[in-house]
Each structure stands twice: as structure tokens, then as C-alpha cells.
Amino acid sequence: LVSVAKGLEEKTGLRMSQILHEVLPAYSLVVLSGPSLAEELSRKIPTTVTAVSDTEEVAKKIQETLVTPFFRIYTSTDMIGVELGGVLKNIIAIAAGINNGLNFGANSKAALITRGLVEMIRFGKAMGAKEETFLGLSGIGDLIVTCNSELSRNWSFGYRVGKGKSVSEALAESRTVCEGLKAAQVVHKLATEKGIEMPITEAVYGILFEGKNPLKAVRDLMTRDIRSEKMY
């Protein structure tokens, strides 16, 4: 069974593969994740993703079945890391869209992506993932494409919010599902419970669910206590 769903269950925080395993325990599970905007892939633009399963053998079977000259697949056995990468990058992508909506530039976008990756690794490690997974396709790879492409659903949603739309207005103008909205809610709750420092995620949560002004959120991020650059 191959899953391409990204998200965490709202009430339980379970990953998609955990839910599928509960419902269909007899199946071996593989998750495909990585920087793969559907519109580009449909036009056979070269795309690379990760196939992850609990065993290399199962992941390799899917790799060999689905690989094409324009769709390259790598394998992994870090199910937690790959799935969380696909969840967490959507939150940072909303922040990146807000950044563009506020007419900020490349400097702030680079900071968001870099420090957003730090938050992804922090959260992932706390949940049992391997940190190196977030330096691969399902981590920084997916983060880069989602934060920089106008085809990204989460970036587009964030852009509208940055332009002054309310959350409900931005959602109403969306043609597709914005997964990062619910992800921000669930991840913020888990991070708070586990004491994981995630200031960008907290800022996005404040904008989306507490009505915080985006400019105020940016100012609060930029005026936090100064410190050395610790990655995790």
C-alpha cells in the first residue's frame, strides 16, 4: 500500500502511515514524499522523491516499480522523518507566503527556510526521527520547493494572508486544500506539550488561530533574545 497523504490526525497527532496500519494491518506500507509539485510532474518535468518503508526491501520494490526516466526515486527506512518532513514544511511554506505577501525579500525568505529547517529537525528528533532525513528530499528538498513556488498551495494561502486577507477569506479563494493550516494547529499543540522550541511555527499559529497581525509576528520573531546559532 503506497501512501502519498501528508498530515497528522487532528485529535491524536498520528501520522498517516500509523492510521493506515491501524485500518489495514495486513498491508506493507510505503510512503512517497519529496519535492513533487503535481502540475510539474504531470508535464514530465524531472522530479525526485523518497520511498520510505519500515524495511528496505519493501521500499525498493516500490522504487523499482514506479521509477521512470523523469521520476527518480530514492529509498529510506526513516518513516517518522520522511512523514514529518512532509507535514512540517507546509507550516514554513505558509510563513514564506506571508513573507512575500508582506513584500519582504530574499533575505527574509532565506532566514525562514534556514531556521524553519532547524525547527523541523528539532521536532523530528523529539518524535524519534533521524536528523539527516531532514537534509534530504523529504526535508529540505520539499521545503525549498514549497516555500518558493506559486504552485504551492500552502505558499499561496500564506501569500493571501500576508496581503491582508483573513484566514477565512484566504481559504475561500483557495482552489485546493491547504494542509499547513491544520498542521500548524496540531504541531503547535505537540510542541507545546513536549517543550520543543519552534518560534516560526508559533508565529504562524498566532496569525492563523489567534488573529495576530503578521507584521507584529515578524517583529516579535526578529526581537527575540539574541544568541549563538545553535542548529538543534
Side-chain angles (χ1 to χ4, degrees), residues 6 8 21 24 31 39 51 54 62-63 66 72 86 108 120-121 140-141 144 146 178 187 210 217 220-221 226:
K6 295 178 179 179
L8 297 174
H21 183 70
L24 300 166
V31 172
E39 183 174 325
D54 291 332
I62 296 304
Q63 176 191 46
L66 298 182
R72 182 173 176 83
S108 50
M120 290 169 63
I121 294 173
I140 192 170
I144 289 171
T146 311
C178 174
V187 170
E210 297 175 339
D220 288 348
L221 280 173
I226 52 177

PDB file of all heavy atoms in Angstrom, residues 6 8 21 24 31 39 51 54 62-63 66 72 86 108 120-121 140-141 144 146 178 187 210 217 220-221 226:
ATOM      1  N   LYS A   6      -0.219  13.583   3.262  1.00  0.00           N
ATOM      2  CA  LYS A   6       0.653  14.283   4.207  1.00  0.00           C
ATOM      3  C   LYS A   6      -0.202  14.928   5.287  1.00  0.00           C
ATOM      4  O   LYS A   6      -1.157  15.630   4.975  1.00  0.00           O
ATOM      5  CB  LYS A   6       1.481  15.353   3.487  1.00  0.00           C
ATOM      6  CG  LYS A   6       2.460  14.783   2.482  1.00  0.00           C
ATOM      7  CD  LYS A   6       3.228  15.883   1.760  1.00  0.00           C
ATOM      8  CE  LYS A   6       4.224  15.279   0.784  1.00  0.00           C
ATOM      9  NZ  LYS A   6       4.983  16.299   0.035  1.00  0.00           N
ATOM     10  N   LEU A   8      -1.091  15.139   9.951  1.00  0.00           N
ATOM     11  CA  LEU A   8      -1.219  14.495  11.257  1.00  0.00           C
ATOM     12  C   LEU A   8      -2.693  14.528  11.643  1.00  0.00           C
ATOM     13  O   LEU A   8      -3.368  15.535  11.437  1.00  0.00           O
ATOM     14  CB  LEU A   8      -0.395  15.233  12.317  1.00  0.00           C
ATOM     15  CG  LEU A   8       1.117  15.278  12.119  1.00  0.00           C
ATOM     16  CD1 LEU A   8       1.763  16.181  13.175  1.00  0.00           C
ATOM     17  CD2 LEU A   8       1.719  13.880  12.185  1.00  0.00           C
ATOM     18  N   HIS A  21      -1.982   1.749   9.080  1.00  0.00           N
ATOM     19  CA  HIS A  21      -1.611   0.470   9.696  1.00  0.00           C
ATOM     20  C   HIS A  21      -2.718  -0.026  10.634  1.00  0.00           C
ATOM     21  O   HIS A  21      -2.974  -1.228  10.721  1.00  0.00           O
ATOM     22  CB  HIS A  21      -0.307   0.613  10.467  1.00  0.00           C
ATOM     23  CG  HIS A  21       0.168  -0.674  11.075  1.00  0.00           C
ATOM     24  ND1 HIS A  21       0.651  -1.723  10.308  1.00  0.00           N
ATOM     25  CD2 HIS A  21       0.209  -1.097  12.360  1.00  0.00           C
ATOM     26  CE1 HIS A  21       0.979  -2.729  11.108  1.00  0.00           C
ATOM     27  NE2 HIS A  21       0.715  -2.377  12.346  1.00  0.00           N
ATOM     28  N   LEU A  24      -5.629  -1.047   8.049  1.00  0.00           N
ATOM     29  CA  LEU A  24      -5.274  -2.123   7.116  1.00  0.00           C
ATOM     30  C   LEU A  24      -3.981  -2.804   7.580  1.00  0.00           C
ATOM     31  O   LEU A  24      -2.937  -2.702   6.928  1.00  0.00           O
ATOM     32  CB  LEU A  24      -5.103  -1.551   5.708  1.00  0.00           C
ATOM     33  CG  LEU A  24      -6.332  -0.857   5.112  1.00  0.00           C
ATOM     34  CD1 LEU A  24      -5.946  -0.048   3.884  1.00  0.00           C
ATOM     35  CD2 LEU A  24      -7.402  -1.881   4.763  1.00  0.00           C
ATOM     36  N   VAL A  31       5.562   5.064   1.920  1.00  0.00           N
ATOM     37  CA  VAL A  31       5.163   6.460   1.754  1.00  0.00           C
ATOM     38  C   VAL A  31       6.067   7.092   0.707  1.00  0.00           C
ATOM     39  O   VAL A  31       7.294   6.931   0.745  1.00  0.00           O
ATOM     40  CB  VAL A  31       5.285   7.235   3.089  1.00  0.00           C
ATOM     41  CG1 VAL A  31       5.051   8.735   2.869  1.00  0.00           C
ATOM     42  CG2 VAL A  31       4.294   6.692   4.107  1.00  0.00           C
ATOM     43  N   GLU A  39       1.536  19.513 -10.733  1.00  0.00           N
ATOM     44  CA  GLU A  39       1.406  20.094 -12.066  1.00  0.00           C
ATOM     45  C   GLU A  39       2.676  19.881 -12.888  1.00  0.00           C
ATOM     46  O   GLU A  39       2.619  19.572 -14.085  1.00  0.00           O
ATOM     47  CB  GLU A  39       1.092  21.588 -11.963  1.00  0.00           C
ATOM     48  CG  GLU A  39       0.867  22.241 -13.316  1.00  0.00           C
ATOM     49  CD  GLU A  39       0.410  23.679 -13.203  1.00  0.00           C
ATOM     50  OE1 GLU A  39      -0.334  23.997 -12.263  1.00  0.00           O
ATOM     51  OE2 GLU A  39       0.808  24.483 -14.066  1.00  0.00           O
ATOM     52  N   ALA A  51      10.995   7.029  -1.372  1.00  0.00           N
ATOM     53  CA  ALA A  51      10.074   5.959  -0.987  1.00  0.00           C
ATOM     54  C   ALA A  51      10.555   5.402   0.347  1.00  0.00           C
ATOM     55  O   ALA A  51      11.682   4.911   0.442  1.00  0.00           O
ATOM     56  CB  ALA A  51      10.044   4.856  -2.044  1.00  0.00           C
ATOM     57  N   ASP A  54       9.276   0.551   6.438  1.00  0.00           N
ATOM     58  CA  ASP A  54       9.993   0.037   7.608  1.00  0.00           C
ATOM     59  C   ASP A  54      11.134  -0.887   7.214  1.00  0.00           C
ATOM     60  O   ASP A  54      12.072  -1.096   7.986  1.00  0.00           O
ATOM     61  CB  ASP A  54       9.021  -0.700   8.541  1.00  0.00           C
ATOM     62  CG  ASP A  54       8.037   0.260   9.216  1.00  0.00           C
ATOM     63  OD1 ASP A  54       8.399   1.431   9.397  1.00  0.00           O
ATOM     64  OD2 ASP A  54       6.926  -0.175   9.554  1.00  0.00           O
ATOM     65  N   ILE A  62       8.868  -0.751  -4.424  1.00  0.00           N
ATOM     66  CA  ILE A  62       8.110   0.378  -4.966  1.00  0.00           C
ATOM     67  C   ILE A  62       9.012   1.256  -5.824  1.00  0.00           C
ATOM     68  O   ILE A  62       8.610   1.759  -6.881  1.00  0.00           O
ATOM     69  CB  ILE A  62       7.465   1.189  -3.834  1.00  0.00           C
ATOM     70  CG1 ILE A  62       6.435   0.329  -3.097  1.00  0.00           C
ATOM     71  CG2 ILE A  62       6.823   2.468  -4.367  1.00  0.00           C
ATOM     72  CD1 ILE A  62       5.360  -0.265  -3.987  1.00  0.00           C
ATOM     73  N   GLN A  63      10.247   1.428  -5.399  1.00  0.00           N
ATOM     74  CA  GLN A  63      11.220   2.195  -6.182  1.00  0.00           C
ATOM     75  C   GLN A  63      11.349   1.612  -7.584  1.00  0.00           C
ATOM     76  O   GLN A  63      11.272   2.328  -8.588  1.00  0.00           O
ATOM     77  CB  GLN A  63      12.578   2.174  -5.479  1.00  0.00           C
ATOM     78  CG  GLN A  63      13.707   2.849  -6.237  1.00  0.00           C
ATOM     79  CD  GLN A  63      15.059   2.546  -5.614  1.00  0.00           C
ATOM     80  OE1 GLN A  63      15.365   1.389  -5.289  1.00  0.00           O
ATOM     81  NE2 GLN A  63      15.871   3.573  -5.439  1.00  0.00           N
ATOM     82  N   LEU A  66       7.904   2.055  -9.748  1.00  0.00           N
ATOM     83  CA  LEU A  66       7.403   3.368 -10.142  1.00  0.00           C
ATOM     84  C   LEU A  66       8.436   4.281 -10.805  1.00  0.00           C
ATOM     85  O   LEU A  66       8.073   5.320 -11.351  1.00  0.00           O
ATOM     86  CB  LEU A  66       6.811   4.092  -8.921  1.00  0.00           C
ATOM     87  CG  LEU A  66       5.613   3.416  -8.245  1.00  0.00           C
ATOM     88  CD1 LEU A  66       5.110   4.278  -7.086  1.00  0.00           C
ATOM     89  CD2 LEU A  66       4.491   3.168  -9.244  1.00  0.00           C
ATOM     90  N   ARG A  72      12.572   9.976 -10.573  1.00  0.00           N
ATOM     91  CA  ARG A  72      13.630   9.217  -9.895  1.00  0.00           C
ATOM     92  C   ARG A  72      13.258   9.042  -8.422  1.00  0.00           C
ATOM     93  O   ARG A  72      12.796   9.984  -7.776  1.00  0.00           O
ATOM     94  CB  ARG A  72      14.963   9.937 -10.024  1.00  0.00           C
ATOM     95  CG  ARG A  72      16.137   9.193  -9.398  1.00  0.00           C
ATOM     96  CD  ARG A  72      17.465   9.885  -9.709  1.00  0.00           C
ATOM     97  NE  ARG A  72      18.581   9.238  -9.044  1.00  0.00           N
ATOM     98  CZ  ARG A  72      19.215   8.166  -9.505  1.00  0.00           C
ATOM     99  NH1 ARG A  72      18.826   7.633 -10.665  1.00  0.00           N
ATOM    100  NH2 ARG A  72      20.218   7.624  -8.857  1.00  0.00           N
ATOM    101  N   GLY A  86       7.137  16.023   5.396  1.00  0.00           N
ATOM    102  CA  GLY A  86       6.025  16.408   4.548  1.00  0.00           C
ATOM    103  C   GLY A  86       4.954  17.210   5.267  1.00  0.00           C
ATOM    104  O   GLY A  86       4.176  17.927   4.636  1.00  0.00           O
ATOM    105  N   SER A 108      14.779  37.708   4.019  1.00  0.00           N
ATOM    106  CA  SER A 108      13.858  37.131   4.993  1.00  0.00           C
ATOM    107  C   SER A 108      13.417  35.732   4.580  1.00  0.00           C
ATOM    108  O   SER A 108      13.222  34.854   5.429  1.00  0.00           O
ATOM    109  CB  SER A 108      12.643  38.040   5.199  1.00  0.00           C
ATOM    110  OG  SER A 108      12.079  38.409   3.957  1.00  0.00           O
ATOM    111  N   MET A 120      12.151  22.009  12.003  1.00  0.00           N
ATOM    112  CA  MET A 120      11.757  20.689  11.519  1.00  0.00           C
ATOM    113  C   MET A 120      12.620  19.601  12.157  1.00  0.00           C
ATOM    114  O   MET A 120      12.121  18.557  12.579  1.00  0.00           O
ATOM    115  CB  MET A 120      11.867  20.639   9.995  1.00  0.00           C
ATOM    116  CG  MET A 120      10.827  21.482   9.283  1.00  0.00           C
ATOM    117  SD  MET A 120      11.128  21.681   7.504  1.00  0.00           S
ATOM    118  CE  MET A 120      10.999  19.964   6.937  1.00  0.00           C
ATOM    119  N   ILE A 121      13.918  19.850  12.220  1.00  0.00           N
ATOM    120  CA  ILE A 121      14.830  18.860  12.800  1.00  0.00           C
ATOM    121  C   ILE A 121      14.586  18.708  14.298  1.00  0.00           C
ATOM    122  O   ILE A 121      14.565  17.596  14.824  1.00  0.00           O
ATOM    123  CB  ILE A 121      16.285  19.248  12.513  1.00  0.00           C
ATOM    124  CG1 ILE A 121      16.565  19.171  11.010  1.00  0.00           C
ATOM    125  CG2 ILE A 121      17.259  18.344  13.280  1.00  0.00           C
ATOM    126  CD1 ILE A 121      17.925  19.685  10.592  1.00  0.00           C
ATOM    127  N   ILE A 140      14.612  19.183   3.437  1.00  0.00           N
ATOM    128  CA  ILE A 140      14.955  20.466   2.823  1.00  0.00           C
ATOM    129  C   ILE A 140      14.532  20.534   1.352  1.00  0.00           C
ATOM    130  O   ILE A 140      14.169  21.600   0.844  1.00  0.00           O
ATOM    131  CB  ILE A 140      16.467  20.758   2.973  1.00  0.00           C
ATOM    132  CG1 ILE A 140      16.752  22.218   2.593  1.00  0.00           C
ATOM    133  CG2 ILE A 140      17.311  19.787   2.154  1.00  0.00           C
ATOM    134  CD1 ILE A 140      18.146  22.672   2.942  1.00  0.00           C
ATOM    135  N   GLY A 141      14.519  19.396   0.658  1.00  0.00           N
ATOM    136  CA  GLY A 141      14.091  19.392  -0.738  1.00  0.00           C
ATOM    137  C   GLY A 141      12.658  19.854  -0.885  1.00  0.00           C
ATOM    138  O   GLY A 141      12.346  20.763  -1.666  1.00  0.00           O
ATOM    139  N   ILE A 144      12.220  23.605   0.177  1.00  0.00           N
ATOM    140  CA  ILE A 144      12.625  24.601  -0.823  1.00  0.00           C
ATOM    141  C   ILE A 144      11.529  24.810  -1.861  1.00  0.00           C
ATOM    142  O   ILE A 144      11.147  25.940  -2.175  1.00  0.00           O
ATOM    143  CB  ILE A 144      13.938  24.172  -1.507  1.00  0.00           C
ATOM    144  CG1 ILE A 144      15.113  24.297  -0.533  1.00  0.00           C
ATOM    145  CG2 ILE A 144      14.209  25.022  -2.754  1.00  0.00           C
ATOM    146  CD1 ILE A 144      16.406  23.684  -1.043  1.00  0.00           C
ATOM    147  N   THR A 146       8.324  24.066  -1.750  1.00  0.00           N
ATOM    148  CA  THR A 146       7.049  24.533  -1.209  1.00  0.00           C
ATOM    149  C   THR A 146       7.106  26.005  -0.805  1.00  0.00           C
ATOM    150  O   THR A 146       6.091  26.696  -0.846  1.00  0.00           O
ATOM    151  CB  THR A 146       6.637  23.677   0.010  1.00  0.00           C
ATOM    152  OG1 THR A 146       6.747  22.298  -0.324  1.00  0.00           O
ATOM    153  CG2 THR A 146       5.215  23.954   0.422  1.00  0.00           C
ATOM    154  N   CYS A 178      -5.340  23.395   1.832  1.00  0.00           N
ATOM    155  CA  CYS A 178      -4.119  23.919   2.458  1.00  0.00           C
ATOM    156  C   CYS A 178      -3.818  23.076   3.693  1.00  0.00           C
ATOM    157  O   CYS A 178      -4.337  23.326   4.778  1.00  0.00           O
ATOM    158  CB  CYS A 178      -4.316  25.391   2.825  1.00  0.00           C
ATOM    159  SG  CYS A 178      -2.928  26.081   3.745  1.00  0.00           S
ATOM    160  N   VAL A 187       0.805  20.576  15.245  1.00  0.00           N
ATOM    161  CA  VAL A 187       2.225  20.641  15.599  1.00  0.00           C
ATOM    162  C   VAL A 187       2.449  21.614  16.745  1.00  0.00           C
ATOM    163  O   VAL A 187       3.244  21.351  17.654  1.00  0.00           O
ATOM    164  CB  VAL A 187       3.071  21.037  14.367  1.00  0.00           C
ATOM    165  CG1 VAL A 187       4.512  21.341  14.768  1.00  0.00           C
ATOM    166  CG2 VAL A 187       3.046  19.922  13.331  1.00  0.00           C
ATOM    167  N   GLU A 210      -5.047  32.976  16.285  1.00  0.00           N
ATOM    168  CA  GLU A 210      -5.223  33.950  17.361  1.00  0.00           C
ATOM    169  C   GLU A 210      -5.381  35.376  16.836  1.00  0.00           C
ATOM    170  O   GLU A 210      -5.424  36.325  17.617  1.00  0.00           O
ATOM    171  CB  GLU A 210      -4.048  33.867  18.329  1.00  0.00           C
ATOM    172  CG  GLU A 210      -3.944  32.516  19.024  1.00  0.00           C
ATOM    173  CD  GLU A 210      -2.711  32.384  19.908  1.00  0.00           C
ATOM    174  OE1 GLU A 210      -1.725  33.133  19.710  1.00  0.00           O
ATOM    175  OE2 GLU A 210      -2.738  31.521  20.808  1.00  0.00           O
ATOM    176  N   ALA A 217       3.904  39.745  14.270  1.00  0.00           N
ATOM    177  CA  ALA A 217       4.514  38.431  14.425  1.00  0.00           C
ATOM    178  C   ALA A 217       5.973  38.454  13.951  1.00  0.00           C
ATOM    179  O   ALA A 217       6.861  37.870  14.592  1.00  0.00           O
ATOM    180  CB  ALA A 217       3.719  37.384  13.647  1.00  0.00           C
ATOM    181  N   ASP A 220       8.110  40.337  16.474  1.00  0.00           N
ATOM    182  CA  ASP A 220       8.369  39.510  17.659  1.00  0.00           C
ATOM    183  C   ASP A 220       9.453  38.466  17.378  1.00  0.00           C
ATOM    184  O   ASP A 220      10.285  38.178  18.248  1.00  0.00           O
ATOM    185  CB  ASP A 220       7.085  38.824  18.116  1.00  0.00           C
ATOM    186  CG  ASP A 220       6.100  39.799  18.748  1.00  0.00           C
ATOM    187  OD1 ASP A 220       6.494  40.942  19.042  1.00  0.00           O
ATOM    188  OD2 ASP A 220       4.924  39.411  18.934  1.00  0.00           O
ATOM    189  N   LEU A 221       9.440  37.906  16.166  1.00  0.00           N
ATOM    190  CA  LEU A 221      10.482  36.942  15.801  1.00  0.00           C
ATOM    191  C   LEU A 221      11.857  37.607  15.759  1.00  0.00           C
ATOM    192  O   LEU A 221      12.855  37.044  16.229  1.00  0.00           O
ATOM    193  CB  LEU A 221      10.178  36.322  14.436  1.00  0.00           C
ATOM    194  CG  LEU A 221       9.152  35.190  14.373  1.00  0.00           C
ATOM    195  CD1 LEU A 221       8.859  34.841  12.922  1.00  0.00           C
ATOM    196  CD2 LEU A 221       9.658  33.957  15.116  1.00  0.00           C
ATOM    197  N   ILE A 226      18.812  37.604  21.592  1.00  0.00           N
ATOM    198  CA  ILE A 226      19.893  37.247  20.678  1.00  0.00           C
ATOM    199  C   ILE A 226      20.734  36.136  21.286  1.00  0.00           C
ATOM    200  O   ILE A 226      20.875  36.020  22.497  1.00  0.00           O
ATOM    201  CB  ILE A 226      20.757  38.476  20.328  1.00  0.00           C
ATOM    202  CG1 ILE A 226      21.230  39.187  21.596  1.00  0.00           C
ATOM    203  CG2 ILE A 226      19.987  39.436  19.436  1.00  0.00           C
ATOM    204  CD1 ILE A 226      22.142  40.363  21.323  1.00  0.00           C
TER     205      ILE A 226
END
